[in-house]
């Protein structure tokens, strides 16, 4: 954890009674502590207690896992107040006070940290509790629960050791339930539990002093803040480690006192659908962990109206009061003790994307919140769930491994390791999931045929990730626990073997690989979604464009509300067997004349692609990037080609005729010629080699062909009445003269084409800022540019000196160690890359005040990155079509937050 200045004065307030807090103190008291204090203040039936602050958690780690000075004294003083409030005494056998010890961070992390119930029980107080309640079975049931929970959470004993003992005793009774256990059996279970702890700690008994129990439990909750599951949760949800957790110590109320007692959880609205109806479950004669653990089947909350009607009526009244008070859907935990209802906590309820949108819109219609509140209320990333199939939340299929969630959605299909086979099987009607080490343009046909893609290597901006997102295909990349043996047709994940043809499920929204067929559900966009998007569009200042490389994707982008194309990657148009063959012909040409002949074949293909995109966008701006990747990417893999040559040589001796020998020799000569060219074009560091504008500088005929195709397509459509104004983007510029050179070629070709059509219309020529030098010299570059578009994928690579694919091997360790707050290829690095964007924007506009500036890397669809783009004054963001709604909502939220600060 990052250290920060902490109070050292022993008089510093570390502990707050529930009566001293309120909901505005969330950062200090945690969400749970602030909310129970708020509920106490508005008169709801809340068991009394106190909260140890989040500051204490940070101090605990800074002081080598010791309580800060004064904290334990304040906790004991608050415990005395609690004794007066409850008229019970902590550790007194005659009238024992028992407490729960619960975590509570300022940002809800359900199930990630620890809770201990029934604390204060020992061999003496359990006897007193039995006499006080006149319910011996309840007392000993509570004691056995406390020992197993404390032994596991606080003392670190494996929970299955306690479960084994419990199951053995339950099996002795006909019903086989824990509620059927007799007092004698419970006492035997307690003795067995103690023996487990005694043996585990080599003769150290279960602690009997309640104050020792409390001190140990508080420490355990603080310890749980830095346990792996909590750390992993924070990484995924980008929650800072420095927030810390509070600890809530609360007087116990008991749901296991008999048939008029119970415990439950309910939501003020359905968290899955958003329906405005109470949703939840409860168990009679149970404690909270019984509902969560699944040891008994809970009942639907509506049944409580029949079993405890007065309690249910009071609960529904409180539910309405809490939702009205907090103006949001609430997740409420309650306990009924001997017919009396107690509210243990309330918090803003977690919900699906569908529910989030519906609840926000309906609360506006019910005049509970404003349009602006509704826009801020919905987590932009949750919209992913509305746009793609999801794994059915009820599924119980095992997760084999988790990679990077490169493209959202879920799909179930049969495994194929070969793109040719994937295409063939898909054409035959088989549902296919393609698994590869990594993908290349040669794999495109198989990728296009697959329902989902998984690669063992690569990052969020790898070939597989970018192509899959563009197609809207679920994709998981960087699943490094997957080992692929192409020859054997087997993938190994630990001890699990997945063979070609086996069924698997890919969850591209979470990065999971699941074994077998798993049900997926298809969310539907409805009127609530459309209303929310309209409110967002009315609020936001930045435009939202899409990255699209063909007419289909462009049309999809328009359906999702894109206001133009911010990045059309022309190299993606050459994927596919026929197009790739022509592209290779151009690359392998030995002179300019031969190269131009091949380019003449590519010209009509490019032109038609541009016509399709321009048509789909119906006059909205379209930014077309000239050829960017190094040429070797369009050629076969060197290693694969070498193996093919070796196989051909070996097969010569098996030729059955002279004709077959001649055919093989011809094929061998062609392969060798191809290998020569592959070796000629090989580069030690191709991503920093002969690519981008450098291709156009050395081979100007490539730039000429692409410019001709762009302006012929635009002119053709303008002759049909469509108002097309193309934007030509030159990639990987580092100096103003590079852009000047390419601009002159484009302008010359544009003039030729426009004259041939007898037209005169405006167009823009700009550049992609992808290198630190281009950003630093943006004032000079702007002299040759009509617009800037930040290619943040490459700008991040060149700024950090990181390979976006290879860095997946160590970036998780950087993030886990808090060296970096997040993967910079997923969330824009505002401190470094962001500073270059800010600087380049300022310097560019100092040269041209009306310079249009946008972003077209994948960061353009990430909410935190969008917020930054809005802060520095960019005109637009551009992202994959399926993230356009997310960007629209996030841009509106960024505007509202900026206005609030102003």
């Amino acid at each position: 954890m990052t250290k920060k200045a902490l109070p050292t004065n022993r008089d510093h307030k570390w502990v707050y009674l529930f009566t001293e807090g309120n909901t505005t103190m969330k950062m200090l008291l945690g969400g749970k502590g602030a909310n129970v204090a708020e509920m106490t203040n508005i008169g709801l039936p809340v068991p009394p207690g106190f909260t140890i602050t989040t500051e204490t958690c940070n101090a605990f780690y800074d002081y080598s896992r010791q309580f800060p000075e004064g904290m334990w004294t304040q906790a004991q003083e608050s415990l005395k107040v609690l004794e007066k409030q409850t008229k019970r005494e902590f550790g007194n056998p005659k009238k024992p006070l028992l407490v729960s010890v619960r975590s509570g961070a300022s940002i809800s992390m359900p199930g990630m940290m620890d809770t201990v119930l029934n604390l204060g029980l020992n061999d003496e107080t359990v006897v007193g509790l039995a006499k006080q309640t006149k319910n011996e079975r309840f007392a000993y049931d509570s004691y056995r629960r406390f020992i197993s929970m404390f032994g596991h959470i606080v003392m670190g004993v494996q929970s299955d050791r306690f479960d084994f003992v419990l199951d053995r005793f339950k099996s002795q009774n006909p019903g086989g339930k824990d509620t059927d256990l007799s007092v004698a059996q419970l006492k035997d279970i307690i003795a067995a539990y103690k023996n487990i702890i005694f043996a585990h700690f080599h003769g150290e008994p279960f602690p009997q002093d309640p104050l020792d129990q409390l001190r140990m439990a508080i420490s355990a909750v603080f310890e749980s803040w830095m346990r792996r599951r909590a750390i992993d949760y924070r990484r995924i949800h980008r929650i800072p480690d420095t927030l810390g957790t509070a600890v809530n110590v609360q007087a116990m109320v008991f749901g296991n006192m008999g048939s008029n007692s119970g415990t439950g959880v309910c939501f003020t609205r359905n968290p899955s659908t958003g329906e405005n109806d109470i949703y939840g479950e409860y168990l009679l004669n149970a404690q909270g962990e019984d509902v969560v653990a699944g040891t008994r089947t809970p009942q639907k909350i509506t049944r409580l109206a029949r079993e405890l009607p007065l309690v249910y009526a009071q609960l529904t009244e409180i539910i309405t009061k809490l939702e009205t008070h907090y103006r949001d859907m609430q997740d409420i935990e309650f306990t009924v003790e001997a017919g009396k209802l107690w509210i243990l906590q309330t918090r803003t309820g977690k919900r699906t994307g569908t529910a989030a949108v519906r609840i926000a819109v309906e609360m506006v219609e019910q005049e509970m919140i404003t349009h602006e509140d509704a826009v801020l209320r919905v987590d932009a990333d949750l919209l992913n769930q509305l746009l793609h199939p999801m794994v059915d939340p009820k599924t119980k299929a095992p997760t084999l491994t988790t990679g990077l969630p490169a493209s959202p959605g879920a799909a179930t299909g049969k495994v194929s390791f070969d793109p040719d086979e994937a295409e063939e099987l898909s054409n035959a009607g088989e549902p296919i999931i393609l698994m590869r080490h990594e993908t290349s343009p040669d794999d495109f046909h198989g990728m296009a045929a697959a329902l989902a893609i998984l690669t063992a290597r690569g990052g969020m901006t790898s070939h597989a990730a970018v192509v899959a997102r563009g197609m809207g295909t679920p994709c998981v990349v960087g699943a490094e626990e997957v080992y692929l043996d192409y020859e054997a047709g087997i993938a190994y994940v630990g001890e699990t073997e997945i063979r070609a043809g086996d069924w698997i499920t890919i969850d591209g929204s979470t990065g999971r690989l699941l074994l077998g067929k798993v049900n997926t559900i298809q969310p539907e966009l409805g009127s609530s979604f459309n209303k929310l998007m309209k409110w967002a569009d009315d609020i936001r200042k930045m435009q939202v464009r899409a990255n699209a490389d063909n007419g289909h994707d462009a049309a999809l982008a328009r359906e999702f509300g894109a206001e133009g194309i911010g990045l059309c990657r022309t190299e993606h148009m050459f994927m596919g067997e026929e197009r790739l063959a022509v592209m290779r012909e151009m690359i392998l040409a030995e002179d300019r004349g031969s190269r131009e002949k091949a380019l003449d074949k590519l010209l009509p293909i490019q032109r038609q692609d541009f016509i399709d995109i321009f048509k789909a966008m119906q006059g909205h701006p379209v930014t077309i990037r000239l050829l960017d990747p190094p040429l070797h990417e369009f050629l076969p893999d060197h290693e694969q080609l070498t193996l093919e040559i070796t196989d051909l040589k070996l097969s010569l001796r098996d030729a059955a005729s002279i004709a077959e020998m001649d055919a093989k020799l011809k094929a061998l000569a062609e392969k060798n010629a191809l290998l020569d060219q592959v070796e000629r074009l090989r580069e030690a560091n191709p991503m920093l080699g002969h690519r981008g504008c450098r291709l156009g500088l050395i081979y100007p005929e490539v730039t000429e062909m692409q410019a001709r195709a762009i302006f012929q397509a635009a002119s053709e459509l303008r002759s049909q009445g469509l108002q097309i104004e193309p934007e030509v983007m030159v990639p990987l510029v580092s100096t103003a003269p590079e852009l000047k050179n390419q601009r002159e070629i484009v302008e010359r070709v544009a003039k030729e084409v426009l004259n041939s059509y007898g037209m005169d219309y405006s167009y823009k020529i700009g550049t992609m800022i992808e290198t630190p030098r281009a950003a630093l010299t943006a004032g000079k570059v702007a002299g040759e540019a009509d617009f800037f578009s930040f290619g943040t994928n490459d700008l991040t690579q060149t700024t950090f000196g990181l390979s976006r694919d290879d860095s997946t091997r160590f970036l998780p360790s950087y993030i886990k160690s808090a060296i970096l707050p997040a993967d910079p290829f997923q969330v824009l690095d505002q401190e470094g890359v962001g500073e270059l964007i800010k600087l380049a924007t300022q310097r560019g506009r100092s040269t041209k005040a009306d310079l249009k500036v946008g972003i077209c890397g994948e960061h353009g669809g990430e909410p935190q990155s969008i917020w930054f783009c809005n802060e520095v004054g960019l005109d637009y963001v551009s992202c994959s079509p399926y993230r356009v709604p997310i960007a629209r909502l996030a841009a509106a939220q960024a505007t509202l937050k900026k206005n609030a600060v102003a």
Side-chain angles (χ1 to χ4, degrees):
M1 295 173 64
T2 302
K3 291 193 176 185
K4 61 182 182 179
L6 290 164
T8 56
N9 190 326
R10 72 176 62 186
D11 296 326
H12 178 78
K13 192 168 179 63
W14 302 103
V15 181
Y16 288 76
L17 295 168
F18 288 172
T19 53
E20 297 177 307
N22 59 63
T23 193
T24 66
M25 301 169 70
K26 189 175 180 181
M27 294 304 294
L28 181 66
L29 303 181
K32 189 175 297 181
N35 284 332
V36 291
E38 185 77 6
M39 290 192 296
T40 299
N41 292 336
I42 63 176
L44 296 186
V46 177
F50 57 89
T51 299
I52 303 169
T53 66
T54 57
E55 285 183 342
T56 315
C57 181
N58 288 324
F60 177 80
Y61 283 100
D62 280 358
Y63 299 155
S64 302
R65 289 176 160 80
Q66 299 295 318
F67 294 153
E69 188 177 8
M71 175 249 137
W72 181 239
T73 299
Q74 292 178 31
Q76 289 178 287
E77 291 170 353
S78 297
L79 195 61
K80 293 293 183 184
V81 175
L82 201 54
E83 289 177 333
K84 290 181 180 178
Q85 291 173 321
T86 59
K87 298 180 181 178
R88 300 174 187 169
E89 293 180 21
F90 197 57
N92 186 333
K94 294 183 179 179
K95 45 180 181 178
L97 167 66
L98 305 184
V99 298
S100 63
V101 181
R102 303 172 187 261
S103 63
S106 58
I107 298 175
S108 180
M109 296 169 54
M112 294 302 111
M113 290 177 291
D114 290 332
T115 294
V116 179
L117 305 179
N118 306 326
L119 191 141
L121 281 173
N122 58 25
D123 293 347
E124 294 181 349
T125 55
V126 68
V127 176
L129 183 64
K131 291 179 179 178
Q132 183 184 16
T133 60
K134 298 178 182 178
N135 190 334
E136 190 177 23
R137 191 200 172 281
F138 151 71
Y140 283 95
D141 180 56
S142 298
Y143 195 21
R144 69 93 184 163
R145 290 170 182 270
F146 171 56
I147 294 173
S148 63
M149 187 176 282
F150 192 93
H152 172 54
I153 290 171
V154 180
M155 303 183 79
V157 180
Q158 290 295 319
S159 60
D160 56 5
R161 300 188 65 183
F162 299 118
D163 294 340
F164 178 80
V165 171
L166 181 62
D167 289 342
R168 179 160 55 86
F169 277 92
K170 283 162 58 175
S171 67
Q172 296 173 5
N173 299 327
K177 298 178 182 178
D178 57 349
T179 51
D180 297 326
L181 294 168
S182 67
V183 172
Q185 287 177 312
L186 289 169
K187 289 180 178 180
D188 288 341
I189 291 170
I190 289 167
Y193 282 1
K194 286 181 180 178
N195 286 335
I196 290 171
I197 292 171
F198 188 85
H200 184 84
F201 287 95
H202 307 290
E204 182 180 335
F206 180 79
Q208 292 289 307
D209 184 340
L211 283 176
D212 285 343
Q213 295 173 359
L214 181 59
R215 187 175 61 254
M216 292 170 69
I218 293 170
S219 293
V221 173
F222 285 147
E223 292 280 0
S224 71
W225 176 251
M226 293 305 289
R227 292 225 170 96
R228 179 174 178 177
R229 66 176 186 263
I231 292 171
D232 289 346
Y233 185 92
R234 291 198 296 275
R235 294 292 172 268
I236 292 170
H237 295 278
R238 297 167 190 159
I239 300 171
D241 288 339
T242 52
L243 292 182
T245 182
V247 178
N248 298 285
V249 179
Q250 190 171 26
M252 280 296 302
V253 287
F254 300 96
N256 58 329
M257 290 186 68
S259 59
N260 65 343
S261 302
T263 188
V265 176
C266 64
F267 295 82
T268 57
R269 304 189 187 215
N270 189 307
S272 296
T273 66
E275 184 181 0
N276 189 5
D277 201 6
I278 299 173
Y279 178 94
E281 297 175 325
Y282 75 98
L283 280 171
L284 293 182
N285 196 19
Q287 287 197 316
E289 76 265 22
D290 296 324
V291 178
V292 178
T295 52
R296 292 164 57 191
T297 303
Q299 301 296 325
K300 288 185 177 180
I301 195 70
T302 49
R303 182 170 174 173
L304 189 62
R306 299 199 300 272
E307 295 191 308
L308 296 173
L310 294 179
V311 169
Y312 184 76
Q314 186 184 6
L315 179 63
T316 55
E317 182 182 337
I318 288 173
I319 283 171
T320 302
K321 186 173 184 177
L322 283 173
E323 184 174 274
T324 302
H325 182 79
Y326 285 102
R327 301 187 309 127
D328 200 356
M329 186 262 278
Q330 295 296 293
D331 170 2
I332 300 164
E333 294 182 17
F334 67 91
T335 287
V336 181
E337 182 186 76
K340 178 173 175 56
L341 175 66
W342 294 94
I343 305 298
L344 304 184
Q345 78 156 316
T346 189
R347 60 189 172 196
T348 299
K350 300 290 183 182
R351 63 204 79 179
T352 65
T354 299
V357 171
R358 178 174 175 178
I359 290 169
V361 170
E362 289 187 356
M363 283 189 168
V364 171
E365 293 169 346
Q366 293 160 8
E367 299 184 350
M368 294 176 68
I369 61 176
T370 65
H371 292 174
E372 291 78 9
D373 291 331
V375 167
L376 289 170
R377 185 70 55 84
V378 178
D379 182 344
D381 275 327
L382 281 179
L383 295 186
N384 253 333
Q385 297 176 11
L386 278 72
L387 307 174
H388 300 275
M390 298 186 300
V391 169
D392 189 335
K394 298 175 184 175
T395 185
K396 295 180 180 178
T399 297
L400 295 181
T401 188
T402 301
L404 297 173
S407 183
T412 292
K414 295 180 178 180
V415 171
S416 175
F417 303 110
D418 179 77
D420 294 331
E421 179 191 65
E423 183 179 46
E424 181 181 343
L425 292 173
S426 177
N427 289 338
E430 294 282 356
I432 296 300
I433 292 180
L434 182 65
M435 294 181 74
R436 302 286 286 166
H437 289 303
E438 56 197 358
T439 62
S440 71
D442 281 341
D443 298 331
F444 180 75
H445 58 294
M447 298 170 72
L451 296 179
I453 300 161
L454 179 141
T455 65
R457 304 176 192 142
M460 295 292 284
T461 53
S462 63
H463 176 266
V466 171
V467 172
R469 278 194 293 269
M471 296 190 299
T473 300
C475 180
V476 173
V477 299
E480 295 190 344
E481 292 181 359
V482 177
Y483 173 75
L484 298 170
D485 186 339
Y486 286 158
E487 189 173 341
I490 302 175
Y492 299 91
V493 188
E495 296 180 0
T496 302
E497 289 185 6
I498 302 173
R499 296 180 177 271
D502 286 352
W503 286 89
I504 61 169
T505 298
I506 296 297
D507 186 352
S509 300
T510 63
R512 290 183 297 163
L513 165 62
L514 299 99
L515 187 62
K517 290 183 180 181
V518 174
N519 287 334
T520 59
I521 55 178
Q522 184 67 51
E524 295 181 4
L525 301 179
S527 59
S528 293
F529 173 83
N530 294 328
K531 286 178 182 178
L532 184 71
M533 286 295 100
K534 184 182 183 307
W535 298 339
D537 292 340
D538 290 342
I539 292 167
R540 64 183 168 87
K541 302 300 181 186
M542 281 193 304
Q543 284 192 328
V544 176
R545 298 188 184 187
N547 302 338
D549 309 323
N550 53 62
H552 174 270
D553 288 354
L556 182 65
R558 282 292 299 136
E559 288 179 20
F560 284 138
E563 297 161 299
I565 300 297
L567 174 62
C568 172
R569 293 157 289 206
T570 54
E571 63 270 12
H572 286 186
M573 296 174 174
F574 302 127
M575 294 177 182
E577 196 169 337
E578 292 182 11
R579 295 177 176 215
L580 197 55
V582 180
M583 187 66 177
R584 285 175 176 171
E585 182 183 338
M586 186 274 292
I587 295 168
L588 298 174
E590 295 181 356
D591 53 49
R592 177 163 182 159
S594 301
R595 205 159 29 249
E596 287 179 340
K597 285 182 181 178
L599 289 169
D600 287 342
K601 296 179 184 178
L602 288 172
L603 175 62
I605 297 173
Q606 286 258 278
R607 181 174 59 233
Q608 186 57 51
D609 286 334
F610 296 144
I611 286 173
D612 293 342
I613 291 172
F614 286 145
K615 273 185 177 179
M617 295 314 296
Q618 293 289 313
H620 289 280
V622 176
T623 302
I624 298 170
R625 182 180 71 186
L626 300 180
L627 193 63
D628 181 46
L631 294 179
H632 82 274
E633 285 198 6
F634 298 99
L635 298 178
D637 178 72
H638 182 275
E639 184 179 346
Q640 182 64 33
L641 194 55
T642 303
L643 289 173
E644 289 175 7
I645 289 171
T646 302
D647 289 342
L648 263 175
K649 287 179 178 178
L650 292 173
S651 72
L652 289 175
R653 61 189 176 190
D654 299 323
S657 65
I658 294 175
E660 185 180 349
M661 174 69 75
D662 288 342
K664 288 187 175 183
L665 286 170
K666 183 181 178 182
L668 184 59
E670 291 174 352
K671 294 279 187 185
N672 278 317
L674 186 56
L675 181 61
D676 288 342
Q677 289 290 68
V678 169
E679 289 178 341
R680 181 175 65 82
L681 292 170
R682 284 182 83 182
E683 296 176 295
N685 193 343
M687 295 312 293
L688 297 178
H690 192 195
R691 55 168 290 219
C693 68
R694 300 158 197 165
L695 287 172
L697 282 159
I698 303 302
Y699 303 123
E701 59 271 22
V702 175
T703 301
E704 290 171 359
M705 181 279 289
Q706 292 200 290
R708 198 172 304 281
I710 291 168
F711 289 104
Q712 284 181 358
S715 300
E716 191 69 35
L717 291 176
R718 286 184 75 90
S719 68
Q720 298 173 20
L722 283 178
Q723 295 304 305
I724 307 296
E725 294 185 7
E727 300 180 353
V728 182
M729 183 158 65
V730 180
L732 208 69
V733 161
S734 293
T735 70
E738 286 177 318
L739 180 55
K740 185 175 186 293
N741 174 284
Q742 293 294 283
R743 184 181 186 104
E744 288 173 352
I745 295 173
V746 174
E747 287 179 332
R748 173 171 54 78
V749 173
K751 185 176 181 181
E752 292 172 5
V753 174
L754 268 61
N755 286 342
S756 70
Y757 278 85
M759 293 181 177
D760 184 19
Y761 54 85
S762 62
Y763 57 87
K764 290 183 173 67
I765 300 173
T767 187
M768 207 167 181
I769 304 291
E770 303 170 85
T771 67
R773 192 185 193 284
L776 293 170
T777 61
K780 292 181 179 179
V781 175
E784 302 294 338
D786 302 321
F787 65 88
F788 284 170
S789 181
F790 292 100
T792 51
N793 299 340
D794 274 347
L795 186 57
T796 299
Q797 281 198 115
T798 53
T799 301
F800 274 93
L802 285 175
S803 162
R804 59 189 173 193
D805 293 332
D806 296 331
S807 61
T808 57
R809 299 176 186 276
F810 57 84
L811 271 180
S813 296
Y814 270 53
I815 296 163
K816 185 176 181 179
S817 304
I819 293 170
L820 290 174
D823 185 336
F825 293 108
Q826 297 184 42
V827 182
L828 186 70
D829 164 47
Q830 297 179 19
E831 190 175 33
V833 178
E835 190 65 22
L836 286 173
I837 291 173
K838 183 179 179 181
L839 187 69
T841 301
Q842 292 170 347
R843 291 184 178 180
R845 285 177 174 163
S846 69
T847 299
K848 282 186 181 175
D850 61 347
L851 185 73
K852 184 167 65 175
V853 183
I855 182 175
C856 63
E858 282 303 317
H859 297 98
E862 195 282 317
Q864 290 183 37
S865 308
I866 291 169
W867 174 87
F868 175 81
C869 293
N870 189 73
E871 282 293 297
V872 299
L874 299 196
D875 296 300
Y876 68 89
V877 295
S878 187
C879 55
S880 61
Y882 282 94
R883 291 197 72 83
V884 166
I886 295 168
R888 290 164 64 193
L889 182 59
Q893 292 171 343
T895 298
L896 289 171
K897 290 172 184 175
K898 187 173 184 177
N899 292 345
V901 172

